Amino acid sequence: MTAAASICPHPVDTRTPRVPETLACSLTLPAALASPAVARSTARTILEAHGLHDAAAAAVQVIGELAACACLFTPSDSVYLSLRYRDEALRISLYDGHPRHAHRRLAAACDGRRRSVLLLLACVMRACDGEWGFGESSEPGGGTRLWAVLPREGARAYGQLV
């Protein structure tokens, strides 16, 4: 064994098992056309590593739709994706830098446009008996938070259909 290996070993972390309940992951993506594909690919790998392969088909579809919407609307150069598994459901959040409009009619028009971009997401979430939405982000810097709560059982059933 070399001196460097004995001083700074880098063992595989066996303290925290990779099971659904330990899934807590986030990443920042560029606000670019390729980012939804990167988000889908990364999420699939993370879900499978945590034993959620049965929910991957629905989750990857949902993540791709949310990421595409966030990249389309954000005026900033990046978006932020967060994945958590709690209470038998995958919790997906995407944050973009698009602030809430102060004018009521402008805000309603922008919300309507965002909903129209998310029509496929709405269909997937209905099929999975999940919930989704978007609104003003409470994170520092503001912007918009898009979110989805995907029940594992519904995602599993969706995966058997596709």
Side-chain angles (χ1 to χ4, degrees), residues 42-124:
T42 303
R44 182 177 302 281
T45 300
I46 291 166
L47 293 169
E48 289 177 0
H50 283 84
L52 289 164
H53 59 278
D54 57 343
V60 166
Q61 183 70 51
V62 167
I63 290 164
E65 296 301 316
L66 290 173
C69 183
C71 289
L72 177 67
F73 278 82
T74 191
S76 64
D77 58 355
S78 62
V79 297
Y80 178 79
L81 169 65
S82 172
L83 303 173
R84 304 281 184 269
Y85 187 83
R86 303 288 180 271
D87 303 321
E88 295 298 313
L90 182 62
R91 299 167 190 288
I92 305 161
S93 295
L94 252 133
Y95 297 87
D96 68 45
H98 186 351
R100 185 85 180 147
H101 296 284
H103 190 276
R104 184 178 51 86
R105 287 187 188 159
L106 190 54
C110 189
D111 287 354
R113 188 166 165 240
R114 209 180 268 265
R115 273 190 206 86
S116 70
V117 169
L118 294 169
L119 283 176
L120 180 57
L121 168 79
C123 293
V124 173

Side-chain angles (χ1 to χ4, degrees), residues 113-158:
R113 188 166 165 240
R114 209 180 268 265
R115 273 190 206 86
S116 70
V117 169
L118 294 169
L119 283 176
L120 180 57
L121 168 79
C123 293
V124 173
M125 294 305 292
R126 187 172 28 254
C128 294
D129 199 28
E131 299 177 51
W132 69 279
F134 58 87
E136 189 170 1
S137 172
S138 61
E139 296 296 313
T144 300
R145 175 180 174 253
L146 300 99
W147 58 271
V149 178
L150 187 60
R152 186 174 187 181
E153 192 57 42
R156 182 182 295 131
Y158 179 87

